[in-house]
Amino acid sequence: MAVERTLSIIKPDATKRNLTGKIIAKFEEAGLRVVASKRIHLTPAQAGKFYEVHKDRPFFGELTEFMASEPVVVQVLEGEGAIAKNREVMGATNPADAAPGTIRAEFAESVGENSVHGSDAPETAKEEIAFFFSGLELVG
Ligand code: CMP
């Protein structure tokens, strides 16, 4: 399987509850390596730009307001099959459907406040990484 990179966001509900370390441990235990990381506080406009693909969804306003409500930790995770592996470790979008042991099953509060985001495909991973990081910030 090819080595891939994927974008991860630890969301405001998790940073607020001081869960950053526990979540990163789940990634590392699954064999994913953090090759870039920063803690930032998005504006609603920046959150809206990142989630532009969802702009016509009824939850768009709620989503962008939430993502700008507290700091987030944005990271690039690297490993074999990293995109699918990250999604496996995160669990289903709705924590009610997430498999036991996944981040969302253990930590997420609701479908909106679901602790983590992860890229869903190679093309979006590339775009999402470039949204937050320059090449110089990807340090291996
Ligand atoms: P994420 O993987 O970050 O991608 C889009 C986000 O929209 C998703 O996680 C959820 O947090 C959010 N989302 C999806 N469905 C709903 C919903 N019904 N209500 C509120 N937020 C939602």
Side-chain angles (χ1 to χ4, degrees):
M1 203 183 291
V3 173
E4 294 175 332
R5 286 177 169 174
T6 189
L7 184 86
S8 164
I9 306 178
I10 302 179
K11 295 187 179 186
D13 66 282
T15 61
K16 189 161 75 180
R17 288 178 290 147
N18 219 17
L19 293 171
T20 304
K22 285 187 174 149
I23 290 174
I24 294 171
K26 293 268 196 195
F27 297 140
E28 292 183 339
E29 281 159 17
L32 293 164
R33 172 175 290 272
V34 177
V35 297
S37 179
K38 57 190 172 190
R39 187 176 180 97
I40 57 176
H41 197 148
L42 294 168
T43 64
Q46 288 167 336
K49 183 86 186 131
F50 180 76
Y51 279 118
E52 201 163 20
V53 65
H54 296 305
K55 69 179 188 308
D56 297 326
R57 302 279 194 100
F59 57 80
F60 183 69
E62 188 186 318
L63 174 62
T64 56
E65 192 184 317
F66 164 63
M67 290 300 289
S69 65
E70 296 277 339
V72 296
V73 175
V74 290
Q75 304 194 108
V76 178
L77 306 177
E78 184 181 86
E80 292 208 354
I83 296 166
K85 190 174 278 184
N86 181 37
R87 293 178 72 74
E88 199 181 303
V89 175
M90 289 194 300
T93 304
N94 186 340
D97 303 327
T102 61
I103 292 170
R104 285 167 171 159
E106 286 194 16
F107 304 124
E109 302 197 295
S110 65
V111 68
E113 305 201 2
N114 63 354
S115 301
V116 279
H117 166 83
S119 308
D120 63 2
E123 194 49 41
T124 44
K126 210 170 150 190
E127 288 169 13
E128 291 182 358
I129 290 168
F131 185 89
F132 288 109
F133 293 98
S134 74
L136 281 175
E137 292 174 299
L138 307 175
V139 291

